[in-house]
Amino acid sequence: ITSLSATKVEHVNEDYSTYTIEFVDEGEYEVKVNAINQATAANKAIAFEIDKTVPTITISGVSDGQTITTQPTIIYSSQDTVSATLAKDGGAAQAIGSNYKVTENGSYAFVVSAVDNAGNTNVRSINFTVNISVVNPGGGGGGVVPAPIPVPVTDLPVVEPIEETKVIGIEDKVIFEEVQITMDLTETVMTVGTEITVKSYEKTSDAEGLSLSVENGMIIKIASEIYEFNASEEFEGQIEITIPYDPTKVTDPKKLTVSTYDEKLGKWKLIGGKVNTTDHTITFKTTHFSYYTILEGTKTFKDLGGFSWAKDVINILASRGAISGYNVDSFKPGNLVTRAEFASILVKALNMEEGENTVQFKDVHGEWYADVIAIAASNNVMSGYNGYANPNAYITREEMVVMIMNAYVIEMNLDNIDDTICTFDDKNTISNWSMNSVVNAAELGIISGKGNNQFAPKDNSTRAEAATVVYNLMVNFGIFE
């Protein structure tokens, strides 16, 4: 463009004028202004670009109007600043990051917004439905996502169940003698007069010792009857339940875990529990009633040869569903652990549920670790740095121990842990905020040094080390009695 039409605006009683130029079409412009008076001449040039093109947004994994029967992963991107929200079943929209995996059935509204430096915006909306018949549980601890145990309740051959009902009074403990089940109501708010019914489904002979091979290479063996719990009234808080297992069906009691059947998702979930090898029982806590049974998992890895000190611990945690490998045979014990991965191991090993505190980190937006970090933070087990969780940063040994001891204080109902004297030779390198946790964890036998009486607090933890300290914590909690 060599010339433009300018509108002159006069200024009364002033010796200058203003000219207004309107640019309509987008493109690159250069405006040159020449001014001449009786004394001299001046000129000035400016170049600029007018951009009216909206940002491009790329979306994959879902499409408008689609009904999806698997877990979709939503991927979105733009060369400009981009953000997204997801709302389920008409609920509030939540910010999500790219590579967000949808794991629950429902109707979803997905909105992506992009804005460029010129202020142009683009908004794309996609409505889709997820209808999954069997949903894999969320991953954690790095590597392969454990598969659900494909045993619908209706597919297990059973005889007529044994049924026993108790009417709740003011007592804190209820015993169902016929099925040998105990419920502790100390932490439960339940209306007096509530009826609790326990049904014990005894497997028929052709189901005895039923073994089930699942996708991550774990072999599952049923070690008890199947129990169904129901209450006539809703209750609040946790109920501690103790159920028996059949020792003749068990190879390694440390690999036993309680499993609950999620009727909505159609899968069994491993939820841990405290094993008592004397009474042949497992004790666990729950906030709701459903179907429960006891399973023994068997999972081994082929790359633990150089880690004999951690081999049994890793196999036990993997068999209980607390940790997983990179594939069926590989655990990669020497690999470093991220903060998110360690939170996942700890939450799953201790069967943590969301606590009273709600913590929202600035760098956690729907990724695979969002739920476990939320649970760990809500229980004051995990904290961040200035509002950031740093989920993908490798965890240091002192950070790991602080999380471990936070869990210890909560489980043991302690206000805090006592100060004591550090005996590690490199104690001057241990941070003040972690010193008390390190010292107490060492005294409890949860952690040890790395040789020459060095704790090495700033070293990053390996997967084998992380598994070992979590197992040692479980031992302190009496999970393997």
Side-chain angles (χ1 to χ4, degrees):
I1 298 175
T2 57
S3 64
L4 290 169
S5 175
T7 301
K8 183 177 180 179
V9 181
E10 297 286 357
H11 294 265
V12 180
N13 300 324
E14 299 289 345
D15 59 355
Y16 69 92
S17 299
T18 299
Y19 293 83
T20 301
I21 305 173
E22 182 179 357
F23 299 89
V24 177
D25 300 323
E26 65 178 354
E28 295 181 358
Y29 292 85
E30 183 181 44
V31 177
K32 295 181 178 179
V33 180
N34 297 312
I36 303 174
N37 62 17
Q38 295 178 349
T40 184
N43 60 75
K44 189 170 185 179
I46 58 172
F48 57 90
E49 179 182 359
I50 295 179
D51 176 11
K52 295 184 177 181
T53 303
V54 299
T56 299
I57 296 174
T58 302
I59 300 173
S60 63
V62 294
S63 58
D64 197 40
Q66 183 183 18
T67 297
I68 307 168
T69 57
T70 59
Q71 293 180 337
T73 298
I74 302 175
I75 301 174
Y76 64 87
S77 63
S78 175
Q79 292 182 337
D80 300 291
T81 303
V82 64
S83 61
T85 62
L86 187 67
K88 178 189 175 187
D89 295 332
Q94 304 291 329
I96 65 169
S98 187
N99 290 298
Y100 179 86
K101 192 168 189 176
V102 181
T103 60
E104 297 182 356
N105 291 342
S107 297
Y108 290 87
F110 173 55
V111 180
V112 185
S113 304
V115 59
D116 62 17
N117 292 331
N120 299 306
T121 61
N122 186 13
V123 179
R124 289 186 59 185
S125 300
I126 292 177
N127 295 303
F128 63 94
T129 300
V130 176
N131 185 12
I132 311 167
S133 57
V134 178
V135 182
N136 286 346
V144 174
V145 177
I149 305 164
V151 195
V153 170
T154 54
D155 289 352
L156 286 172
V158 295
V159 298
E160 189 68 25
I162 298 173
E163 183 173 323
E164 191 173 354
T165 300
K166 294 283 185 179
V167 178
I168 302 305
I170 61 173
E171 65 270 23
D172 291 333
K173 184 171 291 187
V174 180
I175 300 175
F176 297 83
E177 294 90 351
E178 193 169 358
V179 291
Q180 302 177 44
I181 288 176
T182 302
M183 294 186 181
D184 189 328
L185 309 179
T186 305
E187 301 178 21
T188 313
V189 179
M190 184 174 290
T191 304
V192 173
T194 298
E195 292 185 355
I196 296 181
T197 301
V198 176
K199 290 183 180 180
S200 172
Y201 295 89
E202 181 184 358
K203 299 186 300 296
T204 55
S205 58
D206 60 348
E208 294 290 344
L210 177 64
S211 294
L212 307 158
S213 179
V214 295
E215 293 176 13
N216 66 351
M218 187 190 302
I219 301 298
I220 297 293
K221 185 167 59 177
I222 299 174
S224 75
E225 297 176 3
I226 300 167
Y227 302 98
E228 179 185 3
F229 304 140
N230 288 290
S232 61
E233 303 288 339
E234 293 185 357
F235 60 88
E236 298 179 359
Q238 292 185 322
I239 294 183
E240 185 177 86
I241 303 174
T242 300
I243 60 179
Y245 67 85
D246 185 346
T248 65
K249 296 183 174 67
V250 176
T251 303
D252 185 351
K254 291 183 178 180
K255 296 179 179 179
L256 290 175
T257 176
V258 175
S259 181
T260 181
Y261 187 73
D262 190 319
E263 297 178 79
K264 181 180 178 181
L265 300 180
K267 68 176 183 181
W268 290 88
K269 298 188 298 184
L270 305 180
I271 61 172
K274 294 185 178 181
V275 181
N276 186 318
T277 56
T278 301
D279 297 335
H280 304 132
T281 59
I282 289 188
T283 300
F284 65 100
K285 293 182 179 182
T286 183
T287 58
H288 65 282
F289 281 157
S290 179
Y291 291 92
Y292 295 89
T293 192
I294 299 176
L295 304 176
E296 180 183 1
T298 301
K299 180 74 186 84
T300 58
F301 298 101
K302 296 181 178 179
D303 60 347
L304 305 180
F307 293 81
S308 57
W309 52 272
K311 181 178 179 180
D312 290 342
V313 165
I314 291 170
N315 288 335
I316 288 171
L317 292 186
S319 298
R320 290 173 61 95
I323 198 168
S324 55
Y326 282 83
N327 56 48
V328 172
D329 296 324
S330 177
F331 181 75
K332 298 185 179 180
N335 280 18
L336 300 181
V337 180
T338 66
R339 286 169 55 82
E341 288 172 342
F342 187 73
S344 177
I345 299 170
L346 195 55
V347 165
K348 290 182 178 181
L350 302 181
N351 188 32
M352 289 186 192
E353 297 191 352
E354 194 154 358
E356 297 179 355
N357 301 320
T358 300
V359 181
Q360 182 62 54
F361 292 111
K362 299 175 184 178
D363 51 355
V364 179
H365 303 290
E367 298 84 354
W368 70 262
Y369 45 71
D371 287 344
V372 291
I373 286 181
I375 292 172
S378 70
N379 285 286
N380 296 319
V381 170
M382 182 179 189
S383 60
Y385 300 88
N386 298 319
Y388 292 88
N390 296 330
N392 296 312
Y394 292 125
I395 196 168
T396 64
R397 283 169 54 82
E398 62 181 349
E399 288 175 336
M400 176 177 66
V401 172
V402 168
M403 289 180 63
I404 284 287
M405 292 309 297
N406 287 344
Y408 179 85
V409 167
I410 293 168
E411 178 68 18
M412 303 302 288
N413 293 317
L414 303 175
D415 292 330
N416 51 49
I417 46 180
D418 296 332
D419 293 330
T420 186
I421 298 174
C422 181
T423 59
F424 287 114
D425 289 343
D426 59 348
K427 59 186 177 183
N428 291 335
T429 66
I430 301 173
S431 301
N432 291 334
W433 50 265
S434 68
M435 177 66 78
N436 204 22
S437 294
V438 170
V439 172
N440 279 276
E443 286 197 351
L444 291 168
I446 296 174
I447 58 103
S448 58
K450 297 188 71 172
N452 297 321
N453 202 34
Q454 303 288 308
F455 176 66
K458 305 301 188 288
D459 284 4
N460 295 120
S461 174
T462 64
R463 284 167 59 80
E465 289 173 335
T468 300
V469 297
V470 171
Y471 175 84
N472 290 341
L473 178 66
M474 295 167 73
V475 170
N476 270 269
F477 289 164
I479 289 178
F480 311 111
E481 291 184 350

